[in-house]
Amino acid sequence: MMKTIGVLGLIGLLFAGPRVWAQPAAPAPGTGDQKAGSAIDSQIGEAVLQTEAILRLPKGGEAVVETKLLGVVNPPSGVSFEGVRFEGYGRRVNTGSRDVGQMVWSQVSKIVDGKERTAVLDSAWATQVVMEGDTVPAELRLSAGGDMAALVKAVQQLNDLDVEEPEEEEEKKVLENDPRGGSYGRSTGSSENDIAGEYQPLESTQPKIQTETVVAETTIVTTAGCDVRVDETQGVAIVQSKEVTSGASGTSETACSDSEVRYLLQRSYARCSDKIDLSEMAAWPQYITYYVDSGGTTHDTGECVPDLEQEFEIVENKTGCAVYTDWSTITAQEQASLVYTNQNNSQVTVRGCEPVGTPVAITWTDAGCSIRHDFGANRSVLMEKAVFTLNGKTYTAQECTDRGVFYPHETVATVDGIKVCADIVALADMRVYPQTRTRINVNGAYQWIGDCTPDTNAAIDLVATHDGCSFVHDEPANVSYEEHRYYYLEGGVRTYVNNCSSSGVIYTHQVEGGAVHGYVNHDTQRFSYENTALYIDTPYGRIEVSAGQVREGAPQIAYIWLREETVETGQQSFEGCNTYTLTALNDVYQRPDGTEYTDSTGVAGTPVGPEDTCENILVDSRDLKSGGAAIFLSSWTFNLNGDTFMRQCNFAYYDTFATVEKRAMTNTASGVVISTTCGYFDLNGNGNTEDDFDGWRTFRSNGNFNVQVYRECGASSSSSQTLYVGQSAASHNQPACPF
């Protein structure tokens, strides 16, 4: 008998046997091609499919795929394929030169009356397509080939509600429960297999139909009714399956057994809460074991259990906990929560804040509190706050509140004769208001508790006075204003309340002119400005407004001409020994202050003179020797003042001398030399008969005016000459002037 392979068996053949579906089988001997509408017991059919979305086919793995059926080639009569969808699995393999997508269609589905119906193909259909990349595009038409009888049977089950359907849990979800044993469902680690290596494209799009003998008995491999076995030791979940055989004699099945499909067991801590044991002050994370099947569905294998290899210590945490206060015992106590740090390094709170440690006493203090003033009750109240100290730090248990201690108010204006507040001056109503202030006595020390307040019942009138003030002068307006200030009397003493300011008392300026303050003279222009001073007459006497000065807009006062006069200019002119002093004519004017001003007219006056200013000035004088004679002397005597002297000499030398003088007649005013003269004189010109001159003794004979000069001892010359003085040069050969 022929054994019809179920879904799992076909998948195994497709991926393990050589070209089971790649080339349709040839027709059996003695049979011909089946035409549309003929009886179909078993023949190869071809269908046209179309993808609705992109299909991603993994290499070395598998993926669930589905398409819609557009139609079949040579469809049998009486069968409607409208709305039918193909569902199955696909993968991508490499043929050496290109990638080929292989898809196995194991069931069909259709929406009937709003409900999806599914029917398993007794014999799977297959599709192959050449791929570029790892995806099959959407809206792509594909060709599928397979057992037409199996397709017709499954489609009739979808369309005919009277046809007995397989159990939903076993056949409707075959793809979900399909374990795909062997290497199917896991990566092989290679892109090659037998069918890919021997792949040959179809020669024709028309299927080659063959007929086979119909076998009444079929066997399928299914996971329906089989549990997944969890093997904690290996850390895997093993898919179990069984064989179900149906025939004329009935249905039989084998016991469930392990398949080659296994799923890795994993732990999930996120879905479990930690286990907490306060008696041990410890916590452990818990996990649940699960596996994920080939369809991506997660299956738990048990309940949450603690991971005893990870233990977290539970500790006290005072952060975020307020201090607990117990007013029944007037104590305070720290609080703490219980926490631990989990495997994610996050802090987990086990218990909220509760009191821990030893209670401490709460005390009252006024530090940091003020005294509350109740002005309505005319008293102040002491306030205190409750505090306690923990770990060296002071905390406030209750903020400042009344404690029942009172201080009466006292209003005063002066303390020890001194005002406690400044008076308020109201110039608008010309009154002064004294002020008072309130105080309290706290443990013998006074404290001010309010600001100064005017006492309207003790108002004092203000008085205006000029005392201590001045005047405000408005020169352009030619008036001055008297200044006033205000005061009030208190105890006979003036208290001034403001500074001096202008009042309504006005004084007109008085003018005092140049007779007192003089003038400012401008001689070159021959006019003057008068200096004027401003003042006012007041009950307090004369008040100077402005010192004497030339005012803006003052008139020019012209000088008065008095006379013309001649004055020496200080310059001179000269004619020989005559000197003349030059003069000029000036105009004399009288200034406004009575003084005179002389102005040059530029006209010359008559010179004064002449005056003889010459002197005969000695320019030079020289002594001239005229010659002499030598006389031998053995001795000679002379008498001087009654005493007789004798001198021994070997010889005597006689020389004669005359003095020649050069004189210049000079005008001493101009320094000009008018004439020069030269004359001869005796040595002294005084009529003496004996004179000394440079070691020579000179004798003069008065009778004939010749000069004899005797040189005393030491003479060596024997020549002599006589020079006549006072005679004409012609008769006595007087020499010419030597200068």
Side-chain angles (χ1 to χ4, degrees):
M1 59 175 287
M2 176 180 286
K3 184 177 181 179
T4 302
I5 305 301
V7 175
L8 295 179
L10 180 59
I11 294 174
L13 289 175
L14 177 62
F15 288 92
R19 290 198 301 275
V20 171
W21 50 269
Q23 293 289 346
T31 65
D33 293 342
Q34 294 290 330
K35 297 182 180 179
S38 63
I40 52 171
D41 292 329
S42 177
Q43 67 179 24
I44 299 300
E46 182 178 3
V48 179
L49 311 178
Q50 183 174 351
T51 59
E52 295 180 299
I54 296 175
L55 304 180
R56 188 176 300 277
L57 303 182
K59 181 181 291 186
E62 61 186 49
V64 176
V65 294
E66 60 177 313
T67 62
K68 65 180 178 180
L69 175 63
L70 297 181
V72 297
V73 178
N74 298 322
S77 61
V79 181
S80 174
F81 295 94
E82 183 179 0
V84 176
R85 301 178 62 82
F86 272 42
E87 299 176 354
Y89 296 89
R91 71 173 183 177
R92 177 165 51 95
V93 297
N94 185 268
T95 63
S97 60
R98 56 187 173 180
D99 285 348
V100 174
Q102 299 175 338
M103 288 161 276
V104 174
W105 311 108
S106 58
Q107 65 185 31
V108 292
S109 65
K110 182 178 180 180
I111 302 298
V112 179
D113 296 331
K115 182 178 179 181
E116 182 180 14
R117 294 180 59 82
T118 303
V120 177
L121 292 169
D122 290 343
S123 179
W125 282 51
T127 295
Q128 291 191 122
V129 60
V130 177
M131 298 182 64
E132 294 181 1
D134 60 354
T135 60
V136 177
E139 305 297 328
L140 178 66
R141 293 191 177 189
L142 303 173
S143 176
D147 187 343
M148 180 61 76
L151 177 60
V152 170
K153 177 183 176 181
V155 171
Q156 286 177 337
Q157 290 178 352
L158 297 177
N159 295 333
D160 189 357
L161 297 180
D162 295 333
V163 176
E164 182 180 355
E165 297 181 1
E167 297 181 8
E168 287 188 8
E169 297 299 326
E170 292 183 359
E171 295 187 6
K172 185 177 180 180
K173 302 297 181 181
V174 168
L175 291 179
E176 297 180 8
N177 297 326
D178 185 2
R180 298 180 305 285
S183 63
Y184 190 75
R186 294 192 302 275
S187 173
T188 63
S190 172
S191 63
E192 298 182 359
N193 60 17
D194 294 338
I195 188 170
E198 298 179 5
Y199 169 78
Q200 295 293 330
L202 297 176
E203 296 177 357
S204 172
T205 58
Q206 298 294 328
K208 295 179 180 181
I209 301 175
Q210 68 176 11
T211 60
E212 295 182 357
T213 302
V214 176
V215 180
E217 185 177 277
T218 61
T219 299
I220 64 172
V221 178
T222 180
T223 60
C226 295
D227 296 329
V228 175
R229 186 174 67 84
V230 177
D231 189 336
E232 295 281 357
T233 303
Q234 298 185 56
V236 295
I238 304 173
V239 176
Q240 294 190 316
S241 63
K242 62 184 177 180
E243 290 185 356
V244 179
T245 302
S246 300
S249 60
T251 301
S252 64
E253 61 182 41
T254 63
C256 294
S257 61
D258 292 348
S259 70
E260 295 185 9
V261 178
R262 286 165 169 76
Y263 304 114
L264 180 67
L265 293 180
Q266 303 180 63
R267 291 181 177 184
S268 173
Y269 289 89
R271 292 189 286 132
C272 298
S273 60
D274 296 342
K275 179 181 179 181
I276 298 171
D277 188 344
L278 290 180
S279 63
E280 296 291 333
M281 292 295 285
W284 298 267
Q286 295 194 111
Y287 63 88
I288 187 170
T289 303
Y290 70 96
Y291 66 89
V292 180
D293 64 21
S294 61
T297 303
T298 299
H299 302 272
D300 296 334
T301 64
E303 302 297 330
C304 292
V305 295
D307 184 355
L308 299 180
E309 295 181 356
Q310 299 188 65
E311 181 175 325
F312 310 127
E313 181 185 5
I314 298 176
V315 297
E316 289 184 350
N317 180 24
K318 298 178 181 179
T319 302
C321 292
V323 177
Y324 173 72
T325 54
D326 186 352
W327 290 105
S328 63
T329 60
I330 314 179
T331 59
Q333 194 172 359
E334 285 185 296
Q335 294 192 108
S337 61
L338 296 180
V339 300
Y340 66 90
T341 303
N342 64 16
Q343 69 270 25
N344 297 324
N345 202 30
S346 299
Q347 189 179 83
V348 180
T349 300
V350 175
R351 189 203 67 194
C353 297
E354 292 185 5
V356 296
T358 303
V360 296
I362 297 175
T363 60
W364 291 92
T365 178
D366 62 356
C369 295
S370 61
I371 296 175
R372 185 176 64 82
H373 307 301
D374 187 351
F375 289 96
N378 203 31
R379 68 180 183 179
S380 297
V381 185
L382 176 66
M383 301 182 74
E384 292 182 321
K385 64 181 178 181
V387 297
F388 59 89
T389 301
L390 280 174
N391 301 322
K393 184 177 180 180
T394 301
Y395 298 87
T396 299
Q398 183 175 339
E399 295 297 337
C400 299
T401 185
D402 293 350
R403 294 287 291 160
V405 179
F406 303 100
Y407 308 103
H409 291 178
E410 179 186 7
T411 301
V412 297
T414 61
V415 174
D416 298 331
I418 301 174
K419 290 185 178 182
V420 297
C421 297
D423 297 334
I424 293 180
V425 178
L427 292 177
D429 56 7
M430 294 296 291
R431 308 193 81 185
V432 174
Y433 297 92
Q435 296 192 98
T436 60
R437 196 174 183 187
T438 303
R439 66 181 181 179
I440 58 175
N441 189 325
V442 180
N443 301 325
Y446 285 104
Q447 296 181 10
W448 299 110
I449 64 171
D451 295 329
C452 296
T453 303
D455 185 357
T456 57
N457 296 323
I460 306 172
D461 293 333
L462 290 175
V463 180
T465 181
H466 177 70
D467 295 347
C469 295
S470 183
F471 297 84
V472 176
H473 305 299
D474 186 351
E475 290 189 33
N478 202 36
V479 294
S480 294
Y481 301 92
E482 183 177 329
E483 289 185 330
H484 287 170
R485 57 178 175 167
Y486 297 95
Y487 70 92
Y488 62 93
L489 285 175
E490 193 173 31
V493 178
R494 285 186 179 187
T495 299
Y496 292 97
V497 300
N498 66 336
N499 296 324
C500 296
S501 61
S502 297
S503 69
V505 181
I506 302 174
Y507 301 94
T508 301
H509 292 173
Q510 307 297 316
V511 180
E512 190 172 57
V516 177
H517 300 285
Y519 298 83
V520 177
N521 300 319
H522 295 270
D523 289 339
T524 56
Q525 289 86 15
R526 295 194 296 277
F527 70 85
S528 298
Y529 287 116
E530 183 180 17
N531 284 326
T532 57
L534 302 179
Y535 68 95
I536 55 176
D537 288 326
T538 72
Y540 318 105
R542 170 175 167 150
I543 303 299
E544 298 294 337
V545 175
S546 176
Q549 57 187 284
V550 176
R551 307 288 167 180
E552 184 178 356
Q556 298 178 355
I557 303 174
Y559 291 3
I560 300 174
W561 185 87
L562 296 178
R563 62 186 179 276
E564 181 183 76
E565 64 181 9
T566 300
V567 295
E568 294 182 355
T569 64
Q571 297 178 331
Q572 296 175 321
S573 64
F574 309 97
E575 296 178 358
C577 287
N578 294 326
T579 297
Y580 298 88
T581 299
L582 302 182
T583 64
L585 297 179
N586 292 339
D587 287 332
V588 179
Y589 296 88
Q590 183 181 29
R591 300 186 181 99
D593 59 5
T595 60
E596 293 184 352
Y597 164 65
T598 300
D599 186 21
S600 175
T601 63
V603 178
T606 302
V608 178
E611 178 185 0
D612 186 359
T613 56
C614 280
E615 290 185 15
N616 194 11
I617 299 175
L618 177 63
V619 177
D620 197 0
S621 67
R622 300 182 185 180
D623 294 331
L624 298 180
K625 184 176 69 172
S626 63
I631 302 174
F632 180 82
L633 296 176
S634 60
S635 64
W636 54 277
T637 60
F638 63 94
N639 187 286
L640 182 62
N641 297 329
D643 295 324
T644 301
F645 297 89
M646 184 180 68
R647 182 70 175 252
Q648 286 287 121
C649 291
N650 293 327
F651 58 87
Y653 181 78
Y654 301 91
D655 271 336
T656 59
F657 289 86
T659 298
V660 180
E661 292 181 347
K662 181 178 181 180
R663 291 183 177 271
M665 185 62 67
T666 303
N667 188 325
T668 57
S670 64
V672 176
V673 176
I674 305 304
S675 63
T676 302
T677 60
C678 186
Y680 290 87
F681 306 91
D682 61 9
L683 288 179
N684 294 325
N686 53 13
N688 292 334
T689 59
E690 184 178 355
D691 300 287
D692 291 327
F693 178 76
D694 193 26
W696 294 84
R697 187 169 301 278
T698 304
F699 297 94
R700 180 174 50 192
S701 173
N702 291 329
N704 47 15
F705 297 99
N706 63 333
V707 178
Q708 292 181 331
V709 179
Y710 302 93
R711 183 168 185 175
E712 296 178 320
C713 297
S716 61
S717 177
S718 59
S719 62
S720 63
Q721 183 179 352
T722 299
L723 177 65
Y724 296 93
V725 180
Q727 304 299 317
S728 65
S731 57
H732 296 288
N733 296 320
Q734 181 175 332
C737 185
F739 321 120

